Amino acid sequence: MEQRREEILRAAVEQIDTRGVGAVRIADVASALSVSNALVLYHFATKEKLVAAAYTYAAEGDLAHLRKLLGRRTTALRRLRAAVRWYAPTGQAKGWKVWIEGWAASLREPALRDVARDLDRQWKAALAEVIAEGVAAGEFHCADPESTAWRLTALLDGLAVQMTSYAGSLPRTTMLRWTDEALARELGVEQGALTGR
């Protein structure tokens, strides 16, 4: 039963990516799995509940990966760079399309807004925690890790909207250079320190 629920959630995320939140239907998710609409509705009583659960599912996957990156046994600076570069939109990141759709839909859907807000808070908290670890270890200086996490995610979110909406408008190398420059500036280190040079 739990496996079927997860299959439905994965299919819902795929359909949101393909069709967008507004256009996706229970029938689309059911059809993708070759199951009945009734089975999808058995697990999720409404489209709104399915969409909110799909975003929660996607968020949990992203947060698990973030925690894995930030939990590595290396310096805080290396962990932060790995997390920021993973979060940065590369132009190939399918997840960004889904999240941008979610942000737009959350303007009208309170349940979806709660999921997006919770994910955002957890991302910022995880980054701020590692920034504080780096400060405590004397790796770099940062007077306000929470504000730094806010500024970094705001930059990355904005780049994601641009890179996803206007594919090819910015070379990937430029976008990654900007993210490295922002991280180095926020932490008061030379950019070469991010790569160990």
Side-chain angles (χ1 to χ4, degrees), residues 89-91 158-172 175:
T90 62
L159 284 171
V161 171
Q162 293 292 313
M163 296 285 288
T164 304
S165 299
Y166 313 114
S169 60
L170 179 69
R172 180 179 185 273
M175 186 270 306

Side-chain angles (χ1 to χ4, degrees), residues 48-49 54 56-57 83 103 117 121 146 149 158 182 184:
E48 291 74 21
K49 288 182 180 178
T56 300
Y57 175 78
W103 290 337
R117 182 184 299 125
R121 284 180 183 155
E146 187 176 327

